[in-house]
Amino acid sequence: LSLQLVGLSSMAALRRSVATAHGANLCRYISALPPNALTPHGMRRLVGAVAAREGFEYDELDVPALRDAGCGAFLAVADASGDDGGAAIVRLRYIPADADADTPALVLVGKGVTFDTGGVNVKGASSMKGMKGDMAGAG
């Protein structure tokens, strides 16, 4: 029995494709969870576990640091989750082993919202069902 992969020029391309598929599936899984199953604390634990497994540096600004930084609007929205002290701004950082000073940086920014009522009173009922997708921005 043999398997021939068409369209992939190398094992690196295969690894990249598999990693992309795993990432997309993780994002779908996270965004399908209801807010009572994935609280801000739970999201931080999940992101921390993925970061540790994949070799990313993990830093976060927790609620006290956000207060000190004057992030009142962020914290006001975070209060709606009911997860006292769970909100954070998380930064993941990965530096490839073969990177040097000339390697260009790639920056991705996303938001991982576990519960958002921001549009409930300004959107029609048919538009509200898509609000669940707000969690997909962290993927």
Side-chain angles (χ1 to χ4, degrees):
L1 177 68
S2 67
L3 175 67
Q4 180 180 5
L5 298 175
V6 178
L8 295 174
S9 59
S10 67
M11 285 305 293
L14 175 61
R15 284 191 296 274
R16 189 170 35 256
S17 295
V18 170
T20 299
H22 282 297
N25 285 335
L26 177 62
C27 183
R28 286 182 186 123
Y29 170 75
I30 290 170
S31 62
L33 291 172
N36 65 329
L38 186 64
T39 63
H41 273 112
M43 177 73 106
R44 287 164 62 189
R45 279 192 304 274
L46 180 73
V47 171
V50 170
R53 184 183 72 224
E54 301 299 331
F56 284 77
E57 293 177 22
Y58 175 97
D59 296 308
E60 68 180 26
L61 291 174
D62 58 9
V63 170
L66 290 165
R67 274 196 197 100
D68 291 346
C71 300
F74 177 90
L75 292 169
V77 171
D79 282 345
S81 74
D83 185 17
D84 289 340
I89 294 178
V90 174
R91 181 185 77 164
L92 300 179
R93 182 179 172 140
Y94 178 75
I95 301 173
D98 60 351
D100 60 25
D102 296 325
T103 302
L106 172 64
V107 177
L108 303 173
V109 178
K111 69 174 183 166
V113 177
T114 60
F115 183 73
D116 181 10
T117 61
V120 169
N121 57 351
V122 294
K123 292 182 180 173
S126 64
S127 298
M128 283 190 230
K129 65 182 177 189
M131 289 176 63
K132 180 70 178 114
D134 284 351
M135 291 172 63

